[in-house]
Amino acid sequence: MSVPTPAPPWRGSNAHPPAPTGPAWRSPPSRAPYRPRWRKLALVALLGLLALAVVTWVVFWIRPPAPARVVILSANYDRTLAVPPNPYGKADARELSALAKPGSR
C-alpha cells in the first residue's frame, strides 16, 4: 500500500488549520471572503453614466435645442457655356423650398 504524500508547504493544504490555543482575543481575525472588484467598478461606472444622463436631460430641459433649418443651394450655369444647363436641378430646388416652408403639406 502506498501512503499519500502530503502537499508541499508552499502549496497549502486542504486541511483546516489547527484551532488556535489561548484566549479568543489573541486569535487572528477570520479572513473576509474574496469579492472581485469588477462589481464595484461596474456599479460606479453605471452610477456615473446615470448621473451624466440626468445632467444632460436637465440641460436640454432648461434650454431646448434650436429647430432644424434647411439651406437650399442651386448652381447657376446660365452664363457659362462649358457646362450644360440644369433646368431639372432648378425645378427641384424650387419644389424643395416650397416643401420646407412651414404649413406646407
Side-chain angles (χ1 to χ4, degrees):
M1 282 195 178
S2 69
V3 177
T5 58
W10 52 268
R11 287 185 75 190
S13 63
N14 292 338
H16 296 289
T21 58
W25 58 269
R26 268 187 122 182
S27 64
S30 61
R31 290 183 55 145
Y34 174 72
R35 293 185 184 151
R37 291 185 184 172
W38 67 268
R39 289 181 183 165
K40 289 181 184 177
L41 291 175
L43 180 65
V44 168
L46 183 66
L47 290 176
L49 287 174
L50 182 66
L52 182 65
V54 167
V55 167
T56 304
W57 179 75
V58 167
V59 165
F60 281 125
W61 179 55
I62 292 172
R63 186 175 153 188
R69 303 191 192 289
V70 177
V71 177
I72 302 168
L73 300 175
S74 65
N76 189 3
Y77 298 125
D78 292 341
R79 295 184 198 161
T80 307
L81 297 178
V83 179
N86 187 7
Y88 300 112
K90 287 182 183 179
D92 288 340
R94 276 189 297 249
E95 287 179 19
L96 184 61
S97 67
L99 185 67
K101 289 181 183 174
S104 65
R105 287 199 216 186

